[in-house]
């Protein structure tokens, strides 16, 4: 028997926060709407959470300083973030998706993967099913979603973004190359500005350029990351769609450009990894009962230490405290370090944080405030370090950062 065709859908709501605001106040429809910090007549210091497509025509975008958004379009409607309301809509969307399949992996408040390999035939097949999902979302929430349908998660994710808003892009098995290869390299998961610069220095600008480069060359220049990118460029991505209960661990690792004995550098890198882990925990509405730290020495010996904090941890600094304590217990025998990794395990639901697509408990006020605070922090980090620092979806390991993985 032939193996079942894999049909993965990635759904991403259009201009989500702004679209909800327009929904609640129809008078705003079509106007430039900016959701985020108070612009204070151009002196505001926060950032844009998101904006409507009408506002995007002025060059306004997520994570941009709100003062700049104001400068670009002072007559836009500026609105504060109402996290509780967006979570409510997000739950509604999740319920709609559950009518189609139980295999749903929520990625963020307005984004999810669905594995409909088994369900598609019940809803008229893979061309009809996404149309029905879009229609149902539209009818029941009044909002538009963009969908990508493809044989794997990476392709579905790229596809959902190609025809926004209200898009539907289907990638067939036999058109992976024609679909993927002309795209710029930064469409590949895990390619941020730094990797993009390395690839550019190798003369590689399109995904096809990467695919045509010998694996060896990719590995020589970018190590494990290079191997991973090469596979992605060929359209290979076997990761399953995971229901929230199936996410057993969230981890990130980093291979140093050069083996290092610099304790400060190692600690800084671990902090950076903890931030990435914390960000993904937050997106998934999870906390960890255990944290493990891994080092690989210059002779390729690999050591791991785990610990269980008294309380489940979710924030970067809590994870870092545990990761650092683990690190101190790892004997390096004076050798240099080649790779470090941090993994959060024994995951459980984080009751305090609303994450929308996951969250079934309606928000009480303090949870909502926390949620909003978190949103703001994320946006601030993005504003400071560039959207790539906490890029949604594309560079987050949940979706396949080169060194990220969700172990099962
Ligand atoms: P996105 O799906 O990235 O953006 P979007 O839905 O607003 O627009 P698009 O049509 O391009 O998908 O993010 C979902 C929501 O998450 C967004 O509406 C607001 C919030 N968000 C932030 O608060 N800060 C950010 O930097 C980003 C990217 C999103
Ligand atoms: Mg969206």
């Amino acid at each position: 028997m032939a193996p079942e065709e894999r049909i993965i859908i990635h759904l991403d709501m259009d201009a989500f926060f702004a679209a909800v605001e327009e929904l609640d106040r129809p008078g705003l429809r079509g106007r430039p709407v900016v959701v985020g910090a108070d612009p204070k007549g151009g002196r505001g210091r926060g950032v844009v959470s998101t904006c409507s497509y009408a506002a995007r025509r002025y060059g306004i975008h997520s994570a941009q300083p709100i003062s700049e958004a104001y400068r670009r379009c002072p007559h836009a409607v500026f609105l504060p973030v109402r996290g509780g309301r967006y979570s409510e809509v997000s739950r509604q969307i999740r319920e709609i998706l559950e009518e189609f399949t139980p295999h749903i992996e929520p990625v963020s408040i307005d984004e999810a993967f669905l594995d409909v390999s088994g369900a598609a035939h019940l809803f008229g097949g893979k061309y009809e099913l996404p149309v029905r999902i879009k229609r149902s979302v539209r009818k029941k929430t009044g909002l538009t979603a963009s969908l990508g349908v493809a044989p794997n998660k990476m392709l579905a994710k790229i596809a959902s973004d190609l025809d926004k808003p209200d898009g539907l892009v289907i990638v067939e098995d036999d058109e992976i190359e024609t679909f993927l290869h002309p795209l710029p390299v930064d469409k590949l998961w895990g390619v941020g500005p730094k990797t993009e610069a390395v690839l550019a220095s190798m003369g590689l600008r399109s995904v096809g350029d990467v695919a045509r480069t010998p694996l060896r060359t990719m590995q020589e220049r970018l190590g494990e990351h290079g191997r991973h990118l090469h596979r992605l460029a060929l359209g290979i991505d076997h990761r399953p769609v995971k229901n929230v209960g199936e996410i057993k661990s969230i981890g990130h690792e980093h291979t140093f450009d050069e083996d290092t004995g610099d304790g400060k550098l190692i600690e800084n890198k671990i902090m950076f990894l903890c931030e990435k882990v914390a960000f993904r925990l937050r997106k998934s509405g999870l906390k960890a009962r255990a944290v493990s730290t891994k080092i690989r020495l210059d002779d390729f010996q690999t050591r791991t230490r785990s610990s269980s904090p008294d309380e489940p941890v979710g924030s970067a600094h809590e994870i870092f405290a545990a990761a650092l304590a683990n690190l101190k217990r790892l004997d390096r025998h004076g050798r240099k370090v080649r790779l470090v990794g941090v993994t959060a395990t024994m995951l459980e639901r984080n009751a305090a944080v609303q994450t929308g697509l996951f969250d079934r408990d309606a928000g009480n006020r303090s949870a909502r405030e926390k949620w909003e605070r978190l949103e703001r922090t994320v946006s601030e980090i993005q504003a400071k370090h560039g959207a790539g620092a906490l890029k949604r979806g594309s560079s987050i390991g949940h979706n396949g950062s080169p060194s990220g993985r969700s172990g099962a």
Side-chain angles (χ1 to χ4, degrees):
M1 206 172 78
E4 189 180 60
E5 182 189 11
R6 262 188 112 203
I7 310 171
I8 309 297
I9 294 181
H10 180 261
L11 170 144
D12 188 315
M13 301 302 293
D14 302 317
F16 187 52
F17 293 4
V20 174
E21 296 301 340
E22 291 186 17
L23 184 71
D24 291 351
R25 287 180 248 187
L28 297 179
R29 204 157 293 162
R31 293 178 60 187
V33 173
V34 180
V35 179
D38 183 349
K40 296 185 180 157
R43 286 171 291 105
R45 292 174 49 80
V47 295
V48 174
S49 283
T50 194
C51 62
S52 64
Y53 279 78
R56 290 180 198 196
R57 285 199 276 277
Y58 294 85
I60 300 174
H61 58 79
S62 291
Q64 184 175 58
I66 198 78
S67 54
E68 190 181 336
Y70 187 84
R71 194 170 48 68
R72 284 174 179 271
C73 186
H75 64 275
V77 181
F78 289 87
L79 298 169
V81 174
R82 292 188 299 144
R85 173 69 180 126
Y86 312 139
S87 292
E88 193 178 281
V89 179
S90 186
R91 275 193 300 278
Q92 221 184 328
I93 295 160
R94 168 141 188 157
E95 274 161 25
I96 296 166
L97 299 181
E98 280 170 349
E99 291 170 13
F100 293 93
T101 174
H103 304 294
I104 302 171
E105 178 179 319
V107 182
S108 74
I109 189 161
D110 82 327
E111 214 185 313
F113 286 105
L114 285 72
D115 187 333
V116 296
S117 312
H121 73 280
L122 301 172
F123 299 95
K126 78 168 177 190
Y127 303 102
E128 177 65 16
L129 173 59
V131 174
R132 288 203 201 176
I133 293 177
K134 278 169 64 84
R135 203 184 294 145
S136 187
V137 169
R138 179 90 190 228
K139 201 166 141 217
K140 292 179 182 158
T141 68
L143 299 171
T144 60
S146 293
L147 269 63
V149 185
N152 66 45
K153 286 166 89 174
M154 173 189 67
L155 293 166
K157 165 98 183 160
I158 294 174
S160 74
D161 195 43
L162 282 188
D163 192 26
K164 264 182 167 293
D166 203 12
L168 171 57
V169 175
I170 300 178
V171 185
E172 306 285 357
D173 268 331
D174 60 1
E175 28 169 72
I176 294 179
E177 262 187 33
T178 33
F179 169 76
L180 200 54
H181 287 189
L183 299 173
V185 284
D186 68 354
K187 288 278 176 196
L188 287 181
W189 285 355
V191 176
K194 222 171 119 186
T195 307
E196 196 182 343
V198 178
L199 294 173
S201 77
M202 297 164 71
L204 311 180
R205 295 184 196 283
S206 72
V207 175
D209 292 342
V210 174
R212 285 184 292 269
T213 302
L215 173 61
R216 249 185 94 158
T217 313
M218 290 298 293
Q219 271 177 319
E220 275 163 17
R221 290 297 296 268
L222 286 148
E224 183 57 23
H225 192 5
R227 195 183 69 83
H228 181 81
L229 289 180
H230 195 255
R231 282 175 67 80
L232 291 182
L234 294 172
I236 301 169
D237 173 23
H238 295 304
R239 281 161 312 157
V241 169
K242 286 184 186 152
N243 299 326
V244 59
E246 292 176 53
I247 302 174
K248 297 273 187 292
S249 68
I250 288 180
H252 281 276
E253 48 189 55
H254 173 83
T255 306
F256 290 104
D257 294 339
E258 267 175 50
D259 299 345
T260 180
D262 181 344
K264 203 75 221 153
L265 185 66
I266 294 168
E267 278 184 27
N268 284 347
K269 192 46 81 178
I270 286 181
M271 181 62 204
F272 173 71
L273 296 174
C274 291
E275 278 167 5
K276 288 172 83 162
V277 170
F279 181 64
R280 279 172 58 202
L281 283 172
R282 180 177 86 76
K283 282 214 313 183
S284 308
L286 298 167
K287 278 194 161 195
R289 288 208 161 268
V291 174
S292 72
T293 307
K294 167 162 117 180
I295 55 171
R296 183 166 298 145
L297 302 174
D298 53 9
D299 60 355
F300 280 84
Q301 276 193 70
T302 306
R303 286 142 204 256
T304 309
R305 278 269 180 280
S306 296
S307 56
S308 299
D310 295 337
E311 294 289 325
V313 290
S315 71
H317 76 267
E318 288 167 334
I319 299 167
F320 181 61
L324 195 60
N326 295 337
L327 179 72
K328 300 227 154 102
R329 287 165 50 219
L330 284 164
D331 195 348
R332 304 211 304 260
H333 299 293
R335 301 204 77 99
K336 286 189 169 171
V337 174
R338 178 182 164 79
L339 169 151
V340 288
V342 175
T343 303
T345 58
M346 297 177 68
L347 305 181
E348 59 182 50
R349 286 278 305 277
N350 179 0
V353 180
Q354 292 180 43
T355 54
L357 281 175
F358 275 99
D359 190 38
R360 299 186 151 279
D361 324 310
N364 60 46
R365 196 172 145 68
S366 79
R368 184 177 313 156
E369 279 165 5
K370 264 187 202 156
W371 190 95
E372 284 169 1
R373 224 164 34 232
L374 281 164
E375 261 319 306
R376 269 202 305 279
T377 311
V378 170
S379 302
E380 273 159 23
I381 292 170
Q382 285 174 327
K384 208 161 130 199
H385 302 290
L390 290 178
K391 210 170 177 178
R392 298 181 88 82
S394 45
S395 75
I396 300 299
H398 195 61
N399 298 332
S401 119
S403 52
R405 67 210 135 72
S406 292

